[in-house]
Amino acid sequence: MPLKYNNGEPVPPELVLQTREELVQRFGGASFDPGAVEGYWVLASRVYSDELIRVRVSALGTLEDDQFILDYKERLKLRFDQEEIYVAGCVIERF
């Protein structure tokens, strides 16, 4: 989740808190890695530099979960005024 817009202005903290609340409500919890992470990526030959918070949620992997994440990604792109937001999923076995 970006901490700054592409123009360098900081994202208002209430948008980060709103996102946290939505993810905790939907998935029953969320992890936010401490401290800002630097990220770099290229889109249409332009190099972007980001300060971000890495967010993790655990889901059951249902089609409903997958669709929620796809739809939510689009909402986050609008909320944080981003060209793209990186979302990854993987299967983890719990013991």
Side-chain angles (χ1 to χ4, degrees), residues 3 8 10-11 15 20 27-28 32 35 37 40 44 48 50-51 56 58 63-64 67 69 77 80-81 83 88 91:
L3 295 175
V11 167
L15 294 183
R20 181 187 73 188
F27 293 104
F32 290 69
V37 174
Y40 300 91
Y48 291 84
D50 286 324
E51 284 185 44
R56 301 168 200 262
S58 294
L63 292 176
E64 292 82 12
Q67 190 61 55
I69 293 294
K77 285 167 54 175
F80 293 106
D81 193 24
E83 295 289 329
V91 176

Side-chain angles (χ1 to χ4, degrees), residues 76-95:
L76 293 178
K77 285 167 54 175
L78 293 172
R79 178 177 297 167
F80 293 106
D81 193 24
Q82 298 293 300
E83 295 289 329
E84 188 57 78
I85 290 184
Y86 179 73
V87 174
C90 64
V91 176
I92 298 173
E93 290 189 44
R94 294 175 53 184
F95 299 100

Side-chain angles (χ1 to χ4, degrees), residues 1-5 10-23 32 51-53 55 72 76 79-80:
M1 178 174 21
L3 295 175
K4 293 184 178 180
Y5 294 112
V11 167
E14 56 268 17
L15 294 183
V16 174
L17 293 174
Q18 177 185 1
T19 303
R20 181 187 73 188
E21 290 171 9
E22 290 169 351
L23 290 173
F32 290 69
E51 284 185 44
L52 52 100
I53 297 173
V55 179
Y72 197 66
L76 293 178
R79 178 177 297 167
F80 293 106

Side-chain angles (χ1 to χ4, degrees), residues 59-78:
L60 297 175
T62 64
L63 292 176
E64 292 82 12
D65 287 341
D66 292 349
Q67 190 61 55
F68 175 85
I69 293 294
L70 290 172
D71 295 342
Y72 197 66
K73 174 182 172 173
E74 295 306 313
R75 284 180 29 202
L76 293 178
K77 285 167 54 175
L78 293 172

